[in-house]
Amino acid sequence: MPRSAVAVLSLPLLLLLVRSLLQISARPSPGPDYLRRSWLRLLVEGEGCAPCQPEECAAPLGCLAGRVRDTCGCCWECANLEGQLCDLDPSAHFYGHCGEQLECRLDTGGDLSRGEVPEPVCACRSQHPLCGSDGRTYAQICRLQEVALARPDANLTVAHQGPCESEPQIVSHPYDIWTVMGQDVIFGCEVFAYPMASIEWRKDGLDIQLPGDDPHISVQFRGGPQRFEVTGWLQIQAVRLSDEGTYRCLAHNARGQVEAQASLTMLTPEQLNSTDIPQLRSMSALPEEEPESEEVEYY
């Protein structure tokens, strides 16, 4: 094909390309609303807001923190839960807005000395426990609200401020121990109750409260690790053959009493190194450290 013919064909294409570039440059630049929305929201909602038609809005389901208006102020969407990222600027809509009883705060719980940047997260406005109409104690109003919205048929409400009175519940039981003479052993017992529980230690079926007058046995108590919990320890130093037996952790308050027990078994060094004892085989399968308990919505 002659070079002049190629030039004639290329000219219209060049003009079309220039025209397209001029049209793109003439478009208005994205405004603040565009910049304040996350990429996921932009993908779903687009850059602008269409005329509001509430009848076309889909009803959000499973909103455990309530509902808020979307970025266009038209449709309802699920609000962000406690711990989720949020927008500190109420006019922004990048991460989304917090639900009822929640507010957006900077989380400064990280290690700022290592360069961690605080992030805005939803936090409950109140950290005071309360009693639900189901008789359970909730850490704060946001936990109760999540359960109430998850089970609307239960008609869960606030019975009163402060925890529900209840008999003690043993959160962490003492474990059976196998050891040899001369070793130190410790039994632990963690209890939740309101009013706060008292913990006592006793051996076998006796009603004698430990430690008594025995100098090689001691007991300690401490509040926690959670609110309305108390933890007790029974320590036996340089165990003897007479220490073998069953030890009981008794927790009681004005509402009732519960107990948990664990046994102390004395072994010879030969038995301790043996794999023929069923109890030792089962003990070797236990983890070295107690697993952390999962969080629940109530105490």
Side-chain angles (χ1 to χ4, degrees):
M1 180 179 293
R3 181 175 301 177
S4 59
V6 174
V8 170
L9 290 176
S10 301
L11 183 60
L13 295 176
L14 180 61
L15 293 174
L16 181 61
L17 177 60
V18 172
R19 180 180 177 184
S20 300
L21 291 175
L22 290 175
Q23 289 178 344
I24 292 175
S25 62
R27 292 179 182 174
S29 60
D33 291 339
Y34 172 88
L35 296 176
R36 286 199 292 255
R37 282 184 288 166
S38 66
W39 295 114
L40 180 59
R41 290 183 179 276
L42 289 173
L43 182 63
V44 175
E45 301 169 0
E47 296 182 14
C49 295
C52 181
Q53 296 179 335
E55 66 276 4
E56 296 185 1
C57 296
L61 301 176
C63 300
L64 300 184
R67 302 181 304 170
V68 294
R69 293 291 185 181
D70 62 10
T71 183
C72 295
C74 180
C75 300
W76 291 104
E77 64 181 7
C78 287
N80 291 0
L81 290 163
E82 185 174 17
Q84 289 184 325
L85 294 174
C86 55
D87 297 306
L88 282 173
D89 182 1
S91 63
H93 212 87
F94 190 84
Y95 296 115
H97 294 164
C98 303
E100 301 174 16
Q101 307 294 338
L102 295 161
E103 61 183 2
C104 193
R105 303 176 189 168
L106 281 178
D107 181 13
T108 58
D111 191 350
L112 302 181
S113 63
R114 296 189 176 184
E116 294 186 15
V117 179
E119 292 182 317
V121 296
C122 295
C124 194
R125 290 191 176 96
S126 171
Q127 295 299 322
H128 298 292
L130 44 83
C131 180
S133 56
D134 57 354
R136 290 177 171 175
T137 298
Y138 292 84
Q140 22 93 332
I141 183 63
C142 299
R143 289 285 183 261
L144 183 143
Q145 179 179 270
E146 290 179 16
V147 177
L149 292 174
R151 301 199 299 263
D153 296 339
N155 296 319
L156 180 62
T157 59
V158 178
H160 60 78
Q161 298 296 322
C164 305
E165 289 193 4
S166 64
E167 66 179 17
Q169 305 169 30
I170 296 182
V171 180
S172 179
H173 293 244
Y175 290 100
D176 294 338
I177 297 177
W178 293 265
T179 187
V180 296
M181 290 178 55
Q183 297 294 316
D184 296 343
V185 298
I186 297 178
F187 291 103
C189 189
E190 183 181 324
V191 179
F192 164 81
Y194 186 82
M196 292 288 287
S198 297
I199 295 179
E200 298 177 359
W201 290 94
R202 299 181 184 177
K203 184 185 177 187
D204 298 325
L206 303 177
D207 289 332
I208 301 175
Q209 183 176 342
L210 299 175
D213 57 358
D214 197 327
H216 84 299
I217 297 179
S218 60
V219 296
Q220 296 180 359
F221 305 96
R222 186 188 67 185
Q226 303 297 329
R227 281 185 292 182
F228 312 112
E229 289 185 357
V230 60
T231 303
W233 295 273
L234 172 72
Q235 181 177 13
I236 307 176
Q237 295 179 321
V239 294
R240 313 162 185 168
L241 188 60
S242 59
D243 294 323
E244 190 174 48
T246 301
Y247 291 84
R248 295 180 293 149
C249 164
L250 289 87
H252 59 87
N253 66 0
R255 303 286 302 211
Q257 175 176 302
V258 292
E259 69 173 67
Q261 63 183 31
S263 62
L264 174 62
T265 303
M266 304 296 296
L267 302 171
T268 64
E270 292 76 16
Q271 289 176 318
L272 191 63
N273 295 326
S274 173
T275 58
D276 296 331
I277 302 176
Q279 294 93 330
L280 292 181
R281 290 203 302 269
S282 62
M283 182 180 67
S284 63
L286 293 175
E288 294 182 0
E289 297 182 356
E290 299 180 17
E292 295 183 359
S293 58
E294 297 182 355
E295 291 187 3
V296 293
E297 70 276 6
Y298 55 87
Y299 284 120

